[in-house]
Amino acid sequence: MPAFTTDDVLGNRLDFEIARDGFVRRLRDDAVLRDAETWFRREGYRVTELNAGAWNDDKQMHAAFATGLQFPGHFGNNLDALDDCMSNVAEADHGWDASETGLVLILSGFDRFAQRLPRTADHVQDILRRQGRYAALFGNRLLTILS
C-alpha cells in the first residue's frame, strides 16, 4: 500500500509536501509550527516532540531519542545505533503504532543544537531523511520538523 495517493497531491496536504521534499522540513515560526502540530494530530498522526535545544552533547541527544521513541534497553547510544533503531521506528516497531496515520518528530530548538554540535546535527538529519524514505517503502509515514 502506498504511503500517499494522487489525491494527496491535489489536496496540498502538509504531510505530502514534507515527504515530497525529503521527509524533513524546517519551520521556524512558532505559530506555523503549532498550526502544523494541530493539523497532524487531527489527521491521526502521533506527534513526538524532542527538545533538541537542550542537548549539550551526544549522550543527551541519544537519551532523548531513546526515551521519546521507546527504544529497546540495548540501544547502543551512538549514531549507528540511532540509525538502526530509527529503522525500527520506520517499520512501526517502536515509537508509534501502525494503526496511526504516521509519526511526526518535532525537534524543537534544533538550530541551537546544530550550533553546538554541527557534525552530529548533520548526521541526525541524514538519518531522519533516510529513515523517512525507508518508512515510505512500507507505506508508513515518518516525517520530521526541525524548529
PDB file of all heavy atoms in Angstrom, residues 29-43:
ATOM      1  N   ASP A  29       8.776  29.535  12.500  1.00  0.00           N
ATOM      2  CA  ASP A  29       7.727  30.361  13.086  1.00  0.00           C
ATOM      3  C   ASP A  29       6.888  29.523  14.051  1.00  0.00           C
ATOM      4  O   ASP A  29       6.327  28.502  13.663  1.00  0.00           O
ATOM      5  CB  ASP A  29       6.860  30.936  11.967  1.00  0.00           C
ATOM      6  CG  ASP A  29       5.796  31.866  12.481  1.00  0.00           C
ATOM      7  OD1 ASP A  29       4.745  31.356  12.934  1.00  0.00           O
ATOM      8  OD2 ASP A  29       6.014  33.091  12.431  1.00  0.00           O
ATOM      9  N   ASP A  30       6.826  29.943  15.318  1.00  0.00           N
ATOM     10  CA  ASP A  30       6.104  29.173  16.337  1.00  0.00           C
ATOM     11  C   ASP A  30       4.631  28.985  16.012  1.00  0.00           C
ATOM     12  O   ASP A  30       4.074  27.913  16.243  1.00  0.00           O
ATOM     13  CB  ASP A  30       6.241  29.822  17.720  1.00  0.00           C
ATOM     14  CG  ASP A  30       7.629  29.611  18.320  1.00  0.00           C
ATOM     15  OD1 ASP A  30       8.338  28.696  17.868  1.00  0.00           O
ATOM     16  OD2 ASP A  30       7.981  30.369  19.242  1.00  0.00           O
ATOM     17  N   ALA A  31       3.977  30.004  15.486  1.00  0.00           N
ATOM     18  CA  ALA A  31       2.551  29.893  15.162  1.00  0.00           C
ATOM     19  C   ALA A  31       2.335  28.880  14.038  1.00  0.00           C
ATOM     20  O   ALA A  31       1.410  28.061  14.106  1.00  0.00           O
ATOM     21  CB  ALA A  31       1.983  31.257  14.774  1.00  0.00           C
ATOM     22  N   VAL A  32       3.195  28.903  13.036  1.00  0.00           N
ATOM     23  CA  VAL A  32       3.098  27.942  11.932  1.00  0.00           C
ATOM     24  C   VAL A  32       3.350  26.528  12.451  1.00  0.00           C
ATOM     25  O   VAL A  32       2.652  25.577  12.082  1.00  0.00           O
ATOM     26  CB  VAL A  32       4.079  28.308  10.795  1.00  0.00           C
ATOM     27  CG1 VAL A  32       4.134  27.220   9.736  1.00  0.00           C
ATOM     28  CG2 VAL A  32       3.700  29.650  10.177  1.00  0.00           C
ATOM     29  N   LEU A  33       4.327  26.397  13.330  1.00  0.00           N
ATOM     30  CA  LEU A  33       4.632  25.094  13.915  1.00  0.00           C
ATOM     31  C   LEU A  33       3.433  24.547  14.697  1.00  0.00           C
ATOM     32  O   LEU A  33       3.069  23.382  14.547  1.00  0.00           O
ATOM     33  CB  LEU A  33       5.857  25.187  14.835  1.00  0.00           C
ATOM     34  CG  LEU A  33       6.211  23.913  15.595  1.00  0.00           C
ATOM     35  CD1 LEU A  33       6.568  22.774  14.653  1.00  0.00           C
ATOM     36  CD2 LEU A  33       7.346  24.187  16.571  1.00  0.00           C
ATOM     37  N   ARG A  34       2.827  25.364  15.535  1.00  0.00           N
ATOM     38  CA  ARG A  34       1.676  24.898  16.329  1.00  0.00           C
ATOM     39  C   ARG A  34       0.486  24.571  15.442  1.00  0.00           C
ATOM     40  O   ARG A  34      -0.239  23.610  15.704  1.00  0.00           O
ATOM     41  CB  ARG A  34       1.304  25.933  17.395  1.00  0.00           C
ATOM     42  CG  ARG A  34       2.347  26.090  18.469  1.00  0.00           C
ATOM     43  CD  ARG A  34       2.712  24.768  19.163  1.00  0.00           C
ATOM     44  NE  ARG A  34       4.077  24.824  19.643  1.00  0.00           N
ATOM     45  CZ  ARG A  34       4.920  23.824  19.667  1.00  0.00           C
ATOM     46  NH1 ARG A  34       4.564  22.623  19.289  1.00  0.00           N
ATOM     47  NH2 ARG A  34       6.147  23.968  20.105  1.00  0.00           N
ATOM     48  N   ASP A  35       0.271  25.350  14.368  1.00  0.00           N
ATOM     49  CA  ASP A  35      -0.800  25.016  13.419  1.00  0.00           C
ATOM     50  C   ASP A  35      -0.520  23.666  12.755  1.00  0.00           C
ATOM     51  O   ASP A  35      -1.431  22.847  12.589  1.00  0.00           O
ATOM     52  CB  ASP A  35      -0.933  26.103  12.341  1.00  0.00           C
ATOM     53  CG  ASP A  35      -1.567  27.377  12.857  1.00  0.00           C
ATOM     54  OD1 ASP A  35      -2.139  27.375  13.973  1.00  0.00           O
ATOM     55  OD2 ASP A  35      -1.493  28.400  12.129  1.00  0.00           O
ATOM     56  N   ALA A  36       0.732  23.437  12.377  1.00  0.00           N
ATOM     57  CA  ALA A  36       1.113  22.157  11.761  1.00  0.00           C
ATOM     58  C   ALA A  36       0.901  21.016  12.744  1.00  0.00           C
ATOM     59  O   ALA A  36       0.355  19.963  12.383  1.00  0.00           O
ATOM     60  CB  ALA A  36       2.569  22.208  11.291  1.00  0.00           C
ATOM     61  N   GLU A  37       1.311  21.205  13.983  1.00  0.00           N
ATOM     62  CA  GLU A  37       1.138  20.166  15.002  1.00  0.00           C
ATOM     63  C   GLU A  37      -0.343  19.835  15.187  1.00  0.00           C
ATOM     64  O   GLU A  37      -0.719  18.654  15.262  1.00  0.00           O
ATOM     65  CB  GLU A  37       1.759  20.625  16.316  1.00  0.00           C
ATOM     66  CG  GLU A  37       1.689  19.586  17.411  1.00  0.00           C
ATOM     67  CD  GLU A  37       2.354  20.033  18.699  1.00  0.00           C
ATOM     68  OE1 GLU A  37       2.973  21.124  18.733  1.00  0.00           O
ATOM     69  OE2 GLU A  37       2.255  19.275  19.681  1.00  0.00           O
ATOM     70  N   THR A  38      -1.184  20.846  15.248  1.00  0.00           N
ATOM     71  CA  THR A  38      -2.629  20.632  15.378  1.00  0.00           C
ATOM     72  C   THR A  38      -3.164  19.866  14.178  1.00  0.00           C
ATOM     73  O   THR A  38      -3.944  18.922  14.329  1.00  0.00           O
ATOM     74  CB  THR A  38      -3.356  21.991  15.522  1.00  0.00           C
ATOM     75  OG1 THR A  38      -2.876  22.634  16.707  1.00  0.00           O
ATOM     76  CG2 THR A  38      -4.861  21.820  15.589  1.00  0.00           C
ATOM     77  N   TRP A  39      -2.732  20.245  12.990  1.00  0.00           N
ATOM     78  CA  TRP A  39      -3.175  19.568  11.774  1.00  0.00           C
ATOM     79  C   TRP A  39      -2.778  18.086  11.802  1.00  0.00           C
ATOM     80  O   TRP A  39      -3.592  17.211  11.517  1.00  0.00           O
ATOM     81  CB  TRP A  39      -2.587  20.265  10.538  1.00  0.00           C
ATOM     82  CG  TRP A  39      -3.104  19.689   9.254  1.00  0.00           C
ATOM     83  CD1 TRP A  39      -4.225  20.063   8.576  1.00  0.00           C
ATOM     84  CD2 TRP A  39      -2.512  18.611   8.509  1.00  0.00           C
ATOM     85  NE1 TRP A  39      -4.369  19.282   7.464  1.00  0.00           N
ATOM     86  CE2 TRP A  39      -3.335  18.388   7.395  1.00  0.00           C
ATOM     87  CE3 TRP A  39      -1.384  17.831   8.679  1.00  0.00           C
ATOM     88  CZ2 TRP A  39      -3.061  17.407   6.439  1.00  0.00           C
ATOM     89  CZ3 TRP A  39      -1.104  16.853   7.743  1.00  0.00           C
ATOM     90  CH2 TRP A  39      -1.940  16.647   6.631  1.00  0.00           C
ATOM     91  N   PHE A  40      -1.518  17.813  12.152  1.00  0.00           N
ATOM     92  CA  PHE A  40      -1.055  16.425  12.185  1.00  0.00           C
ATOM     93  C   PHE A  40      -1.851  15.596  13.192  1.00  0.00           C
ATOM     94  O   PHE A  40      -2.255  14.471  12.891  1.00  0.00           O
ATOM     95  CB  PHE A  40       0.446  16.355  12.500  1.00  0.00           C
ATOM     96  CG  PHE A  40       1.316  16.611  11.319  1.00  0.00           C
ATOM     97  CD1 PHE A  40       2.127  17.739  11.268  1.00  0.00           C
ATOM     98  CD2 PHE A  40       1.335  15.738  10.236  1.00  0.00           C
ATOM     99  CE1 PHE A  40       2.933  17.987  10.167  1.00  0.00           C
ATOM    100  CE2 PHE A  40       2.142  15.969   9.127  1.00  0.00           C
ATOM    101  CZ  PHE A  40       2.941  17.106   9.099  1.00  0.00           C
ATOM    102  N   ARG A  41      -2.096  16.125  14.350  1.00  0.00           N
ATOM    103  CA  ARG A  41      -2.879  15.390  15.356  1.00  0.00           C
ATOM    104  C   ARG A  41      -4.299  15.133  14.847  1.00  0.00           C
ATOM    105  O   ARG A  41      -4.823  14.034  15.012  1.00  0.00           O
ATOM    106  CB  ARG A  41      -2.896  16.148  16.676  1.00  0.00           C
ATOM    107  CG  ARG A  41      -1.556  16.152  17.398  1.00  0.00           C
ATOM    108  CD  ARG A  41      -1.651  16.835  18.761  1.00  0.00           C
ATOM    109  NE  ARG A  41      -0.356  17.105  19.329  1.00  0.00           N
ATOM    110  CZ  ARG A  41       0.415  16.186  19.934  1.00  0.00           C
ATOM    111  NH1 ARG A  41       0.008  14.953  20.052  1.00  0.00           N
ATOM    112  NH2 ARG A  41       1.593  16.537  20.429  1.00  0.00           N
ATOM    113  N   ARG A  42      -4.892  16.122  14.226  1.00  0.00           N
ATOM    114  CA  ARG A  42      -6.247  15.959  13.686  1.00  0.00           C
ATOM    115  C   ARG A  42      -6.282  14.884  12.593  1.00  0.00           C
ATOM    116  O   ARG A  42      -7.266  14.168  12.439  1.00  0.00           O
ATOM    117  CB  ARG A  42      -6.751  17.302  13.143  1.00  0.00           C
ATOM    118  CG  ARG A  42      -8.202  17.295  12.724  1.00  0.00           C
ATOM    119  CD  ARG A  42      -8.696  18.648  12.249  1.00  0.00           C
ATOM    120  NE  ARG A  42      -7.961  19.097  11.071  1.00  0.00           N
ATOM    121  CZ  ARG A  42      -7.212  20.188  11.000  1.00  0.00           C
ATOM    122  NH1 ARG A  42      -7.090  20.983  12.032  1.00  0.00           N
ATOM    123  NH2 ARG A  42      -6.589  20.507   9.885  1.00  0.00           N
ATOM    124  N   GLU A  43      -5.197  14.747  11.849  1.00  0.00           N
ATOM    125  CA  GLU A  43      -5.108  13.756  10.778  1.00  0.00           C
ATOM    126  C   GLU A  43      -4.735  12.360  11.282  1.00  0.00           C
ATOM    127  O   GLU A  43      -4.583  11.439  10.489  1.00  0.00           O
ATOM    128  CB  GLU A  43      -4.109  14.218   9.717  1.00  0.00           C
ATOM    129  CG  GLU A  43      -4.559  15.443   8.957  1.00  0.00           C
ATOM    130  CD  GLU A  43      -5.820  15.210   8.136  1.00  0.00           C
ATOM    131  OE1 GLU A  43      -5.917  14.157   7.473  1.00  0.00           O
ATOM    132  OE2 GLU A  43      -6.712  16.074   8.162  1.00  0.00           O
TER     133      GLU A  43
END
